[in-house]
Amino acid sequence: MLGIVIDDSRAMRKILRGLLADLGFEVLEAGNGREALDLLQSDGRVPDLALVDWNMPVMTGLEFVVEARKLSELRQMTLMMVTTESEHGQIVRALAAGAHEYVIKPFTRDGIIDKLALLGLVPVGVL
Amino acid sequence: MTNDVATTVEVDLDMIAEQVWSAFLNSGEDEAVFAAEDKGAHMDLAASVAMVGAYEGHLIVSCSHKASRDVASVLFAMEVDEVSQDDIGDALGELANVLGGNVKSVLPSPSQLSLPRVSATEHERWPGTVEVSRTVVSWRGEPYVLTLLSGSNHQEVSA
Amino acid sequence: MEMTPALFAFVADLVYREAGMVLRPGKEYLVESKLKPVAKNTGHPTVGALANALRTGSASLRTQVVEALTINETSWFRDREPYAALQDVILPDVLSNSTGPVRIWSAACSSGQEPYSIAITLEKALPIGRSYQIMGSDLSEEMLRRSRAGRFNQLEINRGLPATDLVTYFQRAGAEWEVIPRIRQNLSFQRVNLCATLPPMQKFDVVFLRNVLIYFEPETKRAVLDRIRQVLNPGGWLLLGAAESTVGIDSVFERVPVGRTAIYRAPARERQLVKEVTQC
Ligand SMILES: C[S@@+](CC[C@H](N)C(=O)[O-])C[C@H]1O[C@@H](n2cnc3c(N)ncnc32)[C@H](O)[C@@H]1O
């Protein structure tokens, strides 16, 4: 399984990368939406999962979701927002734009795993 | 030009801080204490995010150099003396971002959150703002002061 | 170590009598660490002093100790499969055999994620015109208080609640999220100790009894399952936790495999009531 972590904080990327690696993912990293699109284009592979922060310089996570949804080659990629943005309306916006799931920061390891189980990316009951 | 609504909003900074610490800065024995005593200690660094829109204001977390290293070392899972200045800026910035986003969700919406900014407290001025809420988290013997300000300073300056 | 064997035995006996839960020797350290905050909050200098005070202390002190030693771990749609079974197997059966409100009991509901997950499942699956009633119960007053409030913090929300359900069935309440009133009006909560005679209650179509039997010994499990059967409608359904089963304990419930899990069914017509022999 291939995952990409898109977050402008290196600390957050390290935490999420570690978590996904423990679950058997190979992990790519990008510091904003633009960087992620460029990386995915040059890499050529389609990740099974993208964990996407919202507030980032250059291109926000919401803009990334909109762009990614326009690209037919990325259709198989599951998009999960992982962000501190947590108003009701923001979550609705992200889901309407094409995000499949939404995790609010702060999160625990179990929280991320539960959501990945929901998305069928890890079996139920893994810990 | 202070925001009338804002000054009357109740924000439970302690509850938000508790969640953030328990999820991200919980490293076993050293439990954080919330709503700790405010001893008015000198703070070296301030990390802040601005809110713009239906609510205008700032969420600031300030702490000592030592405290900032503790945060970076836990978030990056590195030894305290291994963390760089860059790591500290990144970690404190993310702390302000997570606290700020959760605080924003309790305030009038829609508002936008700025990217975090981290600098030495001596360079930070917040003219034209009022303090809406303030609390102290004590963790590993160091205080972290969380402050919510209302009002945006540039508006005040030009008024 | 201030938790002497005698004190440990005393605490273990208390927890067994009040909650049916078995604490075996070897758990001294766990008991001590869980009782530390209670000792602090109740003004006892040490856990030893707290345990001594229990001998003569108030009922409320005993309750606090028992509550501190029970495990409240829970999450939304825990294990997922029971909720799929509820929707795909149980509800069609219940709906075709009755006309009134569907009645479900969440019998160890902890902080409320289980009964509200059941409610969300029903909101989606019930045909128009069919209503439902859910009762949540627990031993712990603190858990009942939280269940009644129907409020959950960000960390709890992240534990398995689909984002689409969050935006549909919850509203913001300060830094927390609150189940919308339309759903909450279908739930009621009351304290029920599963190890004592049950209070009088109207019968249920389904009982969720998940992740609580594991703490009991076989005799207690049998007694609890007996009591549950008596408040189930004929042909009513029972759901247990992933590590629990009636096998070897109770031969009256029929085991019905569904997907990778199994659910249990009471006999279609009530058999003769057996006099209760075990008290726990
Ligand atoms: C691990 S939680 C399970 C929560 C939920 N059913 C689930 O599966 O996620 C166990 C719950 O059982 C409750 N409990 C323990 N002993 C009990 C008893 N004797 N009677 C009623 N509830 C009890 C505890 O207070 C706790 O909330």
Side-chain angles (χ1 to χ4, degrees), chain C residues 209-226 229 238-256 260-265:
Chain C
L209 178 71
R210 307 200 64 230
N211 303 298
V212 62
L213 281 186
I214 30 169
Y215 304 112
F216 301 153
E217 53 181 0
E219 278 305 293
T220 314
K221 287 181 187 167
R222 184 170 303 130
V224 172
L225 287 172
D226 257 340
R229 203 173 32 247
L238 171 70
L239 293 97
L240 300 176
E244 297 160 335
S245 111
T246 64
V247 175
I249 298 166
D250 179 299
S251 53
V252 186
F253 277 107
E254 176 197 356
R255 184 174 183 278
V256 181
R260 289 181 302 137
T261 185
I263 56 180
Y264 300 87
R265 183 164 210 188

Side-chain angles (χ1 to χ4, degrees), chain C residues 19 71-74 78 108 114 138-139 192-194 210-211:
Chain C
I71 292 160
N72 305 117
E73 162 83 8
T74 190
R78 187 167 182 177
E114 181 174 282
D138 201 278
L139 180 67
V192 174
N193 183 350
L194 293 167
R210 307 200 64 230
N211 303 298

Side-chain angles (χ1 to χ4, degrees), chain A residues 37-54:
Chain A
L37 288 174
D38 292 346
L39 175 63
L40 291 181
Q41 187 160 38
S42 65
D43 187 277
R45 291 175 295 170
V46 179
D48 301 281
L49 169 71
L51 300 184
V52 191
D53 185 20
W54 189 308

